[in-house]
Amino acid sequence: YYDDTFSIDIKKPMQISRTGTAAWLIDGRSSQIITKNPQAFIKPKRQNDKHRASADKVNLLFNHWLREILKQSPQPIREFVKNLLVRGEAWVNPVWNEYWDSERDNYIPITFLTPDPLNIYSSPVENKGIPESVVIWQKVSPRMVKKLYPKWVEPKAYKTKELVDWLGYYDKGNRYFEADGVDVEGEGLQVNICGFVPFVHSYSGFGKESPDGDPATLTVGRLDKVMGILAQECRMNSDFVTIFNKFAQPKVDIEPDIGVEVDVEKAKNSYDMSAGVVNIIQAGTHVKEGLRILPSQEAFQFFANIRARIAMEAPPIMAGLPTGTSGRQEDIEQQPAYCAGWPLKINAVLDI
């Protein structure tokens, strides 16, 4: 739905007209949470000069890291929030930055990756968002694998494949990587020098824990509960666009008198509907404007109700648009709009 490629049961001559509403719901909400200048703040453990000075140094370091993180592409903070909204969960994978130089201030020692949750399979047992074990399964470029892992003995099909299967595994004490079924290091199971699984997990907050502990009920995205109404909007929008296109190209009916024979193909090819053209009509025939039927007022109202229902999911006030004639009215409308995204904001702040 976010990519606007979902299927709609529309048959010819109707044509699908996409609206991009799902992406608007995601991108609009993420832009409300993500700031251009995020700040980190660590409170001192104790209220004395020593601990305040220590906290100031940590804050200075973290804010420097944030400025460097904002320079990454794709942008990790934005990707993290979008994964929460689209997938219903998000992951952060801190990895060692090979380009870090302690003598320079241009880099930070860690790069924060935000892998797609569809490629992560983790243990349901977590401690503060860190699972007991993680399996990464995804498609990667074999050339990238060869560059990062020179010891990788590529299979014979290496040069003919654009993508190969990548398998990664982490637990507290071990790690393992393979590409296309071949160990990339040639050493088998390796020691995880981190001493913990370098992945942090977060749920969006739109789901609810199930009685049997099924984690799938927690991975609820922003669009999961509104897919039906998004499909309705796309279907009705497609109907209207098709009808309006036909309405913009009026039909012409040629009505012959009794006993007059008309060559249908010749009449169709000889009648020109361009502006300012003079047409010669066969004697004994009459040209009339064809019947054109537009949707009824009830259909337009129903479509407007669907749009209004979607707008409730992303109130205009959250985009900075005026919605009332007084500050008091805007305050009243602003409160429920903020509350709708509050669980996500809490998760985003805590995990990032």
Side-chain angles (χ1 to χ4, degrees), residues 38-99:
Q39 300 291 318
F41 178 73
I42 304 298
K43 292 183 178 180
K45 294 181 179 180
R46 296 180 183 178
Q47 294 301 324
N48 55 50
D49 293 341
K50 179 181 179 180
H51 286 86
R52 290 193 192 96
S54 176
D56 289 342
K57 291 181 180 179
V58 175
N59 289 332
L60 195 63
L61 175 65
F62 282 180
N63 282 290
H64 165 65
W65 281 25
L66 280 173
R67 288 191 296 272
E68 295 300 322
I69 290 172
L70 291 175
K71 298 176 184 178
Q72 285 186 223
S73 181
Q75 216 283 323
I77 300 178
R78 182 173 292 275
E79 286 295 309
F80 180 87
V81 175
K82 283 191 175 184
N83 282 336
L84 283 176
L85 291 165
V86 178
R87 307 299 189 195
E89 60 178 335
W91 290 88
V92 176
N93 174 210
V95 298
W96 174 252
N97 183 1
E98 297 181 356
Y99 300 100

Short mmCIF file of all heavy atoms in Angstrom, two decimals, residues 38-99:
data_model
loop_
_atom_site.label_atom_id
_atom_site.label_comp_id
_atom_site.label_asym_id
_atom_site.label_seq_id
_atom_site.Cartn_x
_atom_site.Cartn_y
_atom_site.Cartn_z
N PRO A 38 17.75 17.15 15.68
CA PRO A 38 17.47 16.36 16.89
C PRO A 38 18.52 16.60 17.96
O PRO A 38 19.69 16.85 17.66
CB PRO A 38 17.49 14.92 16.39
CG PRO A 38 18.35 14.96 15.17
CD PRO A 38 18.11 16.30 14.54
N GLN A 39 18.09 16.52 19.21
CA GLN A 39 18.98 16.78 20.34
C GLN A 39 18.97 15.58 21.29
O GLN A 39 17.94 14.94 21.49
CB GLN A 39 18.53 18.04 21.10
CG GLN A 39 18.53 19.30 20.26
CD GLN A 39 19.92 19.76 19.90
OE1 GLN A 39 20.83 19.73 20.74
NE2 GLN A 39 20.11 20.19 18.66
N ALA A 40 20.13 15.30 21.86
CA ALA A 40 20.27 14.25 22.88
C ALA A 40 20.55 14.92 24.22
O ALA A 40 21.32 15.89 24.29
CB ALA A 40 21.39 13.29 22.52
N PHE A 41 19.93 14.39 25.26
CA PHE A 41 20.13 14.98 26.59
C PHE A 41 20.20 13.86 27.63
O PHE A 41 19.30 13.02 27.73
CB PHE A 41 18.99 15.93 26.94
CG PHE A 41 19.09 16.52 28.32
CD1 PHE A 41 20.04 17.49 28.60
CD2 PHE A 41 18.27 16.08 29.35
CE1 PHE A 41 20.16 18.03 29.89
CE2 PHE A 41 18.37 16.60 30.63
CZ PHE A 41 19.31 17.58 30.89
N ILE A 42 21.29 13.80 28.35
CA ILE A 42 21.50 12.82 29.42
C ILE A 42 21.53 13.55 30.75
O ILE A 42 22.30 14.51 30.93
CB ILE A 42 22.83 12.06 29.21
CG1 ILE A 42 22.86 11.39 27.84
CG2 ILE A 42 23.02 11.03 30.32
CD1 ILE A 42 21.79 10.34 27.65
N LYS A 43 20.69 13.13 31.67
CA LYS A 43 20.65 13.75 32.99
C LYS A 43 21.84 13.29 33.83
O LYS A 43 22.26 12.13 33.74
CB LYS A 43 19.35 13.41 33.71
CG LYS A 43 18.11 14.01 33.08
CD LYS A 43 16.88 13.67 33.90
CE LYS A 43 15.63 14.30 33.32
NZ LYS A 43 14.43 13.97 34.13
N PRO A 44 22.39 14.14 34.66
CA PRO A 44 23.47 13.72 35.56
C PRO A 44 22.94 12.72 36.60
O PRO A 44 21.79 12.82 37.03
CB PRO A 44 23.93 15.03 36.22
CG PRO A 44 22.77 15.96 36.07
CD PRO A 44 22.08 15.58 34.80
N LYS A 45 23.77 11.74 36.96
CA LYS A 45 23.34 10.74 37.93
C LYS A 45 23.10 11.37 39.30
O LYS A 45 22.22 10.94 40.04
CB LYS A 45 24.40 9.64 38.03
CG LYS A 45 24.55 8.83 36.75
CD LYS A 45 25.60 7.73 36.93
CE LYS A 45 25.74 6.90 35.67
NZ LYS A 45 26.76 5.83 35.81
N ARG A 46 23.88 12.38 39.61
CA ARG A 46 23.71 13.08 40.88
C ARG A 46 23.83 14.59 40.62
O ARG A 46 24.51 15.02 39.68
CB ARG A 46 24.77 12.64 41.90
CG ARG A 46 24.65 11.18 42.30
CD ARG A 46 25.73 10.81 43.31
NE ARG A 46 25.68 9.40 43.66
CZ ARG A 46 26.53 8.79 44.49
NH1 ARG A 46 27.52 9.51 45.04
NH2 ARG A 46 26.41 7.51 44.75
N GLN A 47 23.18 15.35 41.48
CA GLN A 47 23.18 16.80 41.32
C GLN A 47 24.39 17.43 42.02
O GLN A 47 24.30 18.01 43.10
CB GLN A 47 21.87 17.39 41.86
CG GLN A 47 20.63 16.99 41.08
CD GLN A 47 20.72 17.42 39.62
OE1 GLN A 47 21.26 18.47 39.30
NE2 GLN A 47 20.16 16.58 38.74
N ASN A 48 25.56 17.24 41.38
CA ASN A 48 26.77 17.92 41.86
C ASN A 48 27.61 18.29 40.64
O ASN A 48 27.34 17.86 39.51
CB ASN A 48 27.56 17.04 42.84
CG ASN A 48 27.91 15.69 42.26
OD1 ASN A 48 28.44 15.60 41.16
ND2 ASN A 48 27.63 14.62 43.01
N ASP A 49 28.61 19.10 40.85
CA ASP A 49 29.40 19.63 39.74
C ASP A 49 30.10 18.53 38.95
O ASP A 49 30.19 18.61 37.71
CB ASP A 49 30.44 20.62 40.27
CG ASP A 49 29.79 21.88 40.83
OD1 ASP A 49 28.61 22.13 40.49
OD2 ASP A 49 30.45 22.60 41.63
N LYS A 50 30.60 17.51 39.62
CA LYS A 50 31.32 16.45 38.95
C LYS A 50 30.42 15.69 37.97
O LYS A 50 30.78 15.47 36.79
CB LYS A 50 31.91 15.49 39.98
CG LYS A 50 32.67 14.32 39.36
CD LYS A 50 33.21 13.40 40.45
CE LYS A 50 33.94 12.21 39.83
NZ LYS A 50 34.47 11.29 40.88
N HIS A 51 29.23 15.30 38.44
CA HIS A 51 28.32 14.54 37.58
C HIS A 51 27.70 15.42 36.50
O HIS A 51 27.41 14.94 35.39
CB HIS A 51 27.24 13.87 38.43
CG HIS A 51 27.71 12.70 39.21
ND1 HIS A 51 28.29 12.81 40.46
CD2 HIS A 51 27.72 11.37 38.92
CE1 HIS A 51 28.62 11.62 40.91
NE2 HIS A 51 28.28 10.72 39.99
N ARG A 52 27.50 16.70 36.80
CA ARG A 52 26.98 17.60 35.76
C ARG A 52 28.00 17.77 34.63
O ARG A 52 27.64 17.76 33.44
CB ARG A 52 26.65 18.96 36.37
CG ARG A 52 25.44 18.97 37.29
CD ARG A 52 24.99 20.39 37.58
NE ARG A 52 24.02 20.43 38.67
CZ ARG A 52 24.33 20.68 39.94
NH1 ARG A 52 25.59 20.93 40.28
NH2 ARG A 52 23.38 20.68 40.87
N ALA A 53 29.25 17.90 34.99
CA ALA A 53 30.31 18.04 33.97
C ALA A 53 30.41 16.76 33.13
O ALA A 53 30.60 16.82 31.91
CB ALA A 53 31.64 18.35 34.65
N SER A 54 30.28 15.61 33.80
CA SER A 54 30.33 14.34 33.08
C SER A 54 29.15 14.23 32.11
O SER A 54 29.31 13.81 30.96
CB SER A 54 30.31 13.17 34.07
OG SER A 54 30.26 11.94 33.39
N ALA A 55 27.94 14.61 32.56
CA ALA A 55 26.76 14.55 31.70
C ALA A 55 26.90 15.52 30.53
O ALA A 55 26.49 15.21 29.40
CB ALA A 55 25.51 14.88 32.51
N ASP A 56 27.49 16.68 30.75
CA ASP A 56 27.69 17.65 29.66
C ASP A 56 28.60 17.08 28.58
O ASP A 56 28.37 17.29 27.38
CB ASP A 56 28.28 18.94 30.22
CG ASP A 56 27.28 19.74 31.05
OD1 ASP A 56 26.06 19.47 30.91
OD2 ASP A 56 27.70 20.61 31.83
N LYS A 57 29.64 16.37 29.00
CA LYS A 57 30.55 15.77 28.02
C LYS A 57 29.84 14.69 27.19
O LYS A 57 30.03 14.61 25.97
CB LYS A 57 31.76 15.17 28.73
CG LYS A 57 32.69 16.20 29.35
CD LYS A 57 33.87 15.53 30.01
CE LYS A 57 34.82 16.56 30.63
NZ LYS A 57 35.97 15.90 31.30
N VAL A 58 29.02 13.88 27.87
CA VAL A 58 28.28 12.84 27.16
C VAL A 58 27.28 13.47 26.19
O VAL A 58 27.13 13.02 25.05
CB VAL A 58 27.57 11.91 28.15
CG1 VAL A 58 26.69 10.90 27.41
CG2 VAL A 58 28.59 11.16 29.01
N ASN A 59 26.59 14.51 26.64
CA ASN A 59 25.63 15.19 25.77
C ASN A 59 26.33 15.78 24.55
O ASN A 59 25.81 15.73 23.43
CB ASN A 59 24.92 16.31 26.54
CG ASN A 59 23.94 15.77 27.56
OD1 ASN A 59 23.40 14.69 27.38
ND2 ASN A 59 23.73 16.51 28.64
N LEU A 60 27.50 16.36 24.77
CA LEU A 60 28.25 16.94 23.67
C LEU A 60 28.64 15.88 22.64
O LEU A 60 28.52 16.08 21.42
CB LEU A 60 29.51 17.63 24.21
CG LEU A 60 30.24 18.60 23.27
CD1 LEU A 60 29.34 19.77 22.92
CD2 LEU A 60 31.53 19.08 23.91
N LEU A 61 29.06 14.71 23.14
CA LEU A 61 29.44 13.61 22.25
C LEU A 61 28.23 13.09 21.48
O LEU A 61 28.27 12.92 20.26
CB LEU A 61 30.08 12.49 23.06
CG LEU A 61 30.40 11.21 22.26
CD1 LEU A 61 31.47 11.49 21.21
CD2 LEU A 61 30.84 10.08 23.20
N PHE A 62 27.11 12.84 22.18
CA PHE A 62 25.93 12.29 21.53
C PHE A 62 25.35 13.24 20.49
O PHE A 62 24.90 12.82 19.42
CB PHE A 62 24.87 11.94 22.57
CG PHE A 62 25.14 10.65 23.31
CD1 PHE A 62 24.27 10.20 24.29
CD2 PHE A 62 26.25 9.90 23.00
CE1 PHE A 62 24.51 9.00 24.95
CE2 PHE A 62 26.51 8.71 23.67
CZ PHE A 62 25.64 8.26 24.65
N ASN A 63 25.36 14.53 20.78
CA ASN A 63 24.85 15.50 19.81
C ASN A 63 25.76 15.60 18.59
O ASN A 63 25.28 15.83 17.48
CB ASN A 63 24.68 16.87 20.46
CG ASN A 63 23.42 16.96 21.31
OD1 ASN A 63 22.31 16.97 20.79
ND2 ASN A 63 23.59 16.99 22.62
N HIS A 64 27.05 15.40 18.80
CA HIS A 64 27.97 15.32 17.66
C HIS A 64 27.64 14.09 16.82
O HIS A 64 27.62 14.15 15.58
CB HIS A 64 29.42 15.26 18.15
CG HIS A 64 30.39 14.83 17.09
ND1 HIS A 64 30.63 15.58 15.96
CD2 HIS A 64 31.15 13.70 16.99
CE1 HIS A 64 31.52 14.94 15.20
NE2 HIS A 64 31.84 13.81 15.81
N TRP A 65 27.37 12.97 17.47
CA TRP A 65 26.99 11.76 16.75
C TRP A 65 25.71 11.98 15.95
O TRP A 65 25.60 11.54 14.81
CB TRP A 65 26.79 10.61 17.75
CG TRP A 65 28.07 9.99 18.22
CD1 TRP A 65 29.30 10.56 18.26
CD2 TRP A 65 28.23 8.66 18.72
NE1 TRP A 65 30.23 9.69 18.77
CE2 TRP A 65 29.60 8.51 19.06
CE3 TRP A 65 27.37 7.60 18.93
CZ2 TRP A 65 30.11 7.33 19.58
CZ3 TRP A 65 27.88 6.42 19.46
CH2 TRP A 65 29.24 6.28 19.77
N LEU A 66 24.74 12.65 16.56
CA LEU A 66 23.48 12.90 15.86
C LEU A 66 23.70 13.72 14.59
O LEU A 66 23.08 13.45 13.55
CB LEU A 66 22.50 13.62 16.79
CG LEU A 66 21.75 12.76 17.80
CD1 LEU A 66 20.95 13.63 18.75
CD2 LEU A 66 20.83 11.77 17.09
N ARG A 67 24.56 14.71 14.67
CA ARG A 67 24.84 15.52 13.48
C ARG A 67 25.47 14.68 12.37
O ARG A 67 25.18 14.88 11.19
CB ARG A 67 25.75 16.69 13.85
CG ARG A 67 25.06 17.77 14.67
CD ARG A 67 25.91 19.02 14.78
NE ARG A 67 27.15 18.79 15.50
CZ ARG A 67 27.29 18.90 16.81
NH1 ARG A 67 26.25 19.22 17.57
NH2 ARG A 67 28.45 18.69 17.39
N GLU A 68 26.32 13.73 12.76
CA GLU A 68 26.93 12.86 11.77
C GLU A 68 25.93 11.84 11.23
O GLU A 68 25.95 11.49 10.04
CB GLU A 68 28.14 12.14 12.38
CG GLU A 68 29.28 13.06 12.76
CD GLU A 68 29.82 13.83 11.57
OE1 GLU A 68 29.91 13.25 10.47
OE2 GLU A 68 30.15 15.02 11.73
N ILE A 69 25.03 11.37 12.09
CA ILE A 69 24.01 10.41 11.66
C ILE A 69 23.09 11.04 10.62
O ILE A 69 22.67 10.39 9.65
CB ILE A 69 23.20 9.91 12.88
CG1 ILE A 69 24.07 9.00 13.76
CG2 ILE A 69 21.95 9.16 12.44
CD1 ILE A 69 23.44 8.63 15.07
N LEU A 70 22.80 12.32 10.79
CA LEU A 70 21.94 13.01 9.83
C LEU A 70 22.57 13.10 8.45
O LEU A 70 21.86 13.32 7.46
CB LEU A 70 21.61 14.42 10.34
CG LEU A 70 20.70 14.51 11.56
CD1 LEU A 70 20.57 15.95 12.02
CD2 LEU A 70 19.33 13.93 11.26
N LYS A 71 23.88 12.92 8.37
CA LYS A 71 24.56 12.98 7.07
C LYS A 71 24.55 11.64 6.35
O LYS A 71 24.92 11.57 5.18
CB LYS A 71 26.01 13.43 7.27
CG LYS A 71 26.16 14.83 7.87
CD LYS A 71 27.62 15.17 8.12
CE LYS A 71 27.77 16.52 8.79
NZ LYS A 71 29.20 16.83 9.10
N GLN A 72 24.14 10.57 7.04
CA GLN A 72 24.11 9.26 6.40
C GLN A 72 23.02 9.21 5.35
O GLN A 72 22.01 9.91 5.43
CB GLN A 72 23.85 8.16 7.44
CG GLN A 72 25.04 7.83 8.30
CD GLN A 72 24.77 6.64 9.21
OE1 GLN A 72 25.11 6.64 10.38
NE2 GLN A 72 24.14 5.62 8.67
N SER A 73 23.23 8.36 4.35
CA SER A 73 22.22 8.16 3.31
C SER A 73 22.10 6.67 3.04
O SER A 73 23.10 6.01 2.70
CB SER A 73 22.62 8.90 2.04
OG SER A 73 21.65 8.74 1.04
N PRO A 74 20.90 6.08 3.21
CA PRO A 74 19.67 6.75 3.64
C PRO A 74 19.74 7.20 5.10
O PRO A 74 20.51 6.65 5.87
CB PRO A 74 18.59 5.69 3.44
CG PRO A 74 19.32 4.40 3.56
CD PRO A 74 20.68 4.64 2.97
N GLN A 75 18.92 8.18 5.43
CA GLN A 75 18.95 8.80 6.75
C GLN A 75 18.38 7.83 7.80
O GLN A 75 17.21 7.45 7.73
CB GLN A 75 18.12 10.08 6.71
CG GLN A 75 18.66 11.20 7.55
CD GLN A 75 18.36 10.99 9.00
OE1 GLN A 75 17.30 10.50 9.36
NE2 GLN A 75 19.30 11.37 9.84
N PRO A 76 19.20 7.35 8.78
CA PRO A 76 18.76 6.29 9.69
C PRO A 76 17.54 6.65 10.53
O PRO A 76 16.66 5.81 10.74
CB PRO A 76 19.98 6.05 10.57
CG PRO A 76 21.13 6.57 9.80
CD PRO A 76 20.60 7.72 9.01
N ILE A 77 17.47 7.89 11.04
CA ILE A 77 16.35 8.24 11.91
C ILE A 77 15.05 8.22 11.12
O ILE A 77 14.03 7.68 11.58
CB ILE A 77 16.58 9.63 12.55
CG1 ILE A 77 17.86 9.61 13.39
CG2 ILE A 77 15.38 10.04 13.40
CD1 ILE A 77 18.20 10.94 14.02
N ARG A 78 15.06 8.78 9.92
CA ARG A 78 13.85 8.76 9.09
C ARG A 78 13.46 7.33 8.70
O ARG A 78 12.29 6.97 8.71
CB ARG A 78 14.05 9.63 7.85
CG ARG A 78 12.83 9.70 6.95
CD ARG A 78 13.03 10.70 5.84
NE ARG A 78 13.09 12.06 6.36
CZ ARG A 78 12.02 12.79 6.60
NH1 ARG A 78 10.81 12.30 6.38
NH2 ARG A 78 12.14 14.02 7.06
N GLU A 79 14.46 6.51 8.33
CA GLU A 79 14.17 5.13 7.95
C GLU A 79 13.61 4.35 9.13
O GLU A 79 12.71 3.52 8.97
CB GLU A 79 15.45 4.46 7.43
CG GLU A 79 15.89 4.91 6.06
CD GLU A 79 14.89 4.53 4.99
OE1 GLU A 79 14.49 3.36 4.92
OE2 GLU A 79 14.49 5.42 4.21
N PHE A 80 14.14 4.61 10.32
CA PHE A 80 13.65 3.93 11.52
C PHE A 80 12.17 4.23 11.75
O PHE A 80 11.36 3.33 11.97
CB PHE A 80 14.49 4.37 12.73
CG PHE A 80 14.08 3.74 14.03
CD1 PHE A 80 14.61 2.51 14.40
CD2 PHE A 80 13.17 4.34 14.88
CE1 PHE A 80 14.25 1.91 15.60
CE2 PHE A 80 12.80 3.75 16.07
CZ PHE A 80 13.34 2.54 16.44
N VAL A 81 11.81 5.51 11.68
CA VAL A 81 10.42 5.90 11.92
C VAL A 81 9.51 5.38 10.81
O VAL A 81 8.39 4.91 11.07
CB VAL A 81 10.30 7.43 12.05
CG1 VAL A 81 8.85 7.86 12.17
CG2 VAL A 81 11.09 7.91 13.26
N LYS A 82 9.97 5.41 9.57
CA LYS A 82 9.15 4.90 8.48
C LYS A 82 8.95 3.40 8.59
O LYS A 82 7.87 2.88 8.26
CB LYS A 82 9.79 5.26 7.13
CG LYS A 82 9.59 6.70 6.72
CD LYS A 82 9.99 6.93 5.28
CE LYS A 82 9.67 8.35 4.85
NZ LYS A 82 9.97 8.57 3.42
N ASN A 83 9.97 2.67 9.04
CA ASN A 83 9.79 1.24 9.27
C ASN A 83 8.75 0.98 10.35
O ASN A 83 7.94 0.05 10.25
CB ASN A 83 11.12 0.59 9.65
CG ASN A 83 12.02 0.37 8.46
OD1 ASN A 83 11.56 0.28 7.33
ND2 ASN A 83 13.32 0.28 8.70
N LEU A 84 8.77 1.78 11.41
CA LEU A 84 7.75 1.65 12.45
C LEU A 84 6.35 1.85 11.86
O LEU A 84 5.42 1.10 12.18
CB LEU A 84 7.98 2.68 13.55
CG LEU A 84 9.09 2.42 14.57
CD1 LEU A 84 9.21 3.61 15.51
CD2 LEU A 84 8.83 1.15 15.37
N LEU A 85 6.21 2.85 11.01
CA LEU A 85 4.90 3.17 10.47
C LEU A 85 4.44 2.17 9.41
O LEU A 85 3.27 1.77 9.40
CB LEU A 85 4.93 4.58 9.86
CG LEU A 85 5.07 5.73 10.85
CD1 LEU A 85 5.44 7.02 10.13
CD2 LEU A 85 3.77 5.93 11.61
N VAL A 86 5.34 1.76 8.53
CA VAL A 86 4.96 0.87 7.43
C VAL A 86 4.91 -0.59 7.89
O VAL A 86 3.93 -1.30 7.64
CB VAL A 86 5.93 1.02 6.25
CG1 VAL A 86 5.56 0.05 5.12
CG2 VAL A 86 5.89 2.45 5.72
N ARG A 87 5.96 -1.04 8.55
CA ARG A 87 6.06 -2.46 8.94
C ARG A 87 5.47 -2.75 10.31
O ARG A 87 5.18 -3.91 10.63
CB ARG A 87 7.53 -2.90 8.95
CG ARG A 87 8.29 -2.60 7.67
CD ARG A 87 7.71 -3.31 6.48
NE ARG A 87 8.59 -3.18 5.31
CZ ARG A 87 8.22 -3.45 4.08
NH1 ARG A 87 6.99 -3.85 3.83
NH2 ARG A 87 9.06 -3.30 3.08
N GLY A 88 5.33 -1.73 11.15
CA GLY A 88 4.84 -1.97 12.51
C GLY A 88 5.95 -2.28 13.49
O GLY A 88 5.69 -2.47 14.68
N GLU A 89 7.18 -2.33 13.02
CA GLU A 89 8.34 -2.57 13.87
C GLU A 89 9.56 -1.99 13.17
O GLU A 89 9.52 -1.69 11.97
CB GLU A 89 8.54 -4.06 14.14
CG GLU A 89 8.75 -4.88 12.88
CD GLU A 89 8.99 -6.35 13.17
OE1 GLU A 89 9.46 -6.68 14.28
OE2 GLU A 89 8.73 -7.18 12.28
N ALA A 90 10.64 -1.84 13.90
CA ALA A 90 11.86 -1.29 13.32
C ALA A 90 13.07 -1.86 14.05
O ALA A 90 12.98 -2.26 15.22
CB ALA A 90 11.86 0.23 13.39
N TRP A 91 14.19 -1.89 13.33
CA TRP A 91 15.45 -2.40 13.89
C TRP A 91 16.56 -1.37 13.69
O TRP A 91 16.58 -0.67 12.68
CB TRP A 91 15.86 -3.70 13.20
CG TRP A 91 14.99 -4.87 13.52
CD1 TRP A 91 13.84 -5.24 12.87
CD2 TRP A 91 15.17 -5.81 14.58
NE1 TRP A 91 13.31 -6.37 13.44
CE2 TRP A 91 14.10 -6.74 14.51
CE3 TRP A 91 16.13 -5.97 15.57
CZ2 TRP A 91 13.98 -7.80 15.39
CZ3 TRP A 91 16.01 -7.03 16.46
CH2 TRP A 91 14.94 -7.93 16.35
N VAL A 92 17.46 -1.32 14.65
CA VAL A 92 18.69 -0.54 14.53
C VAL A 92 19.86 -1.51 14.70
O VAL A 92 19.90 -2.28 15.66
CB VAL A 92 18.78 0.58 15.57
CG1 VAL A 92 20.12 1.29 15.47
CG2 VAL A 92 17.66 1.58 15.37
N ASN A 93 20.78 -1.45 13.75
CA ASN A 93 21.95 -2.33 13.78
C ASN A 93 23.22 -1.48 13.79
O ASN A 93 23.65 -1.00 12.74
CB ASN A 93 21.93 -3.26 12.57
CG ASN A 93 23.18 -4.11 12.44
OD1 ASN A 93 23.59 -4.46 11.34
ND2 ASN A 93 23.80 -4.47 13.56
N PRO A 94 23.83 -1.24 14.96
CA PRO A 94 25.09 -0.48 14.99
C PRO A 94 26.26 -1.36 14.54
O PRO A 94 26.44 -2.47 15.04
CB PRO A 94 25.22 -0.08 16.47
CG PRO A 94 24.43 -1.12 17.22
CD PRO A 94 23.35 -1.59 16.30
N VAL A 95 27.04 -0.87 13.58
CA VAL A 95 28.19 -1.62 13.08
C VAL A 95 29.42 -0.72 13.14
O VAL A 95 29.31 0.51 13.15
CB VAL A 95 27.97 -2.12 11.64
CG1 VAL A 95 26.80 -3.08 11.58
CG2 VAL A 95 27.73 -0.95 10.68
N TRP A 96 30.58 -1.34 13.16
CA TRP A 96 31.83 -0.59 13.24
C TRP A 96 32.07 0.19 11.95
O TRP A 96 31.89 -0.31 10.84
CB TRP A 96 32.99 -1.56 13.47
CG TRP A 96 34.34 -0.91 13.44
CD1 TRP A 96 35.28 -1.02 12.46
CD2 TRP A 96 34.89 -0.05 14.44
NE1 TRP A 96 36.38 -0.28 12.78
CE2 TRP A 96 36.18 0.33 13.99
CE3 TRP A 96 34.44 0.44 15.67
CZ2 TRP A 96 37.01 1.17 14.72
CZ3 TRP A 96 35.27 1.28 16.39
CH2 TRP A 96 36.52 1.63 15.92
N ASN A 97 32.44 1.45 12.10
CA ASN A 97 32.71 2.32 10.97
C ASN A 97 34.19 2.20 10.59
O ASN A 97 35.07 2.67 11.31
CB ASN A 97 32.37 3.77 11.31
CG ASN A 97 32.55 4.71 10.13
OD1 ASN A 97 32.93 4.29 9.04
ND2 ASN A 97 32.27 5.98 10.35
N GLU A 98 34.47 1.54 9.47
CA GLU A 98 35.84 1.30 9.05
C GLU A 98 36.58 2.59 8.70
O GLU A 98 37.81 2.61 8.65
CB GLU A 98 35.87 0.35 7.86
CG GLU A 98 35.31 -1.03 8.18
CD GLU A 98 35.38 -1.95 6.97
OE1 GLU A 98 35.80 -1.48 5.90
OE2 GLU A 98 34.99 -3.13 7.11
N TYR A 99 35.83 3.65 8.41
CA TYR A 99 36.47 4.89 7.99
C TYR A 99 36.70 5.85 9.17
O TYR A 99 37.15 6.98 8.97
CB TYR A 99 35.60 5.60 6.94
CG TYR A 99 35.38 4.77 5.70
CD1 TYR A 99 34.19 4.05 5.54
CD2 TYR A 99 36.35 4.68 4.71
CE1 TYR A 99 33.99 3.27 4.41
CE2 TYR A 99 36.15 3.91 3.59
CZ TYR A 99 34.97 3.21 3.44
OH TYR A 99 34.77 2.43 2.32
#
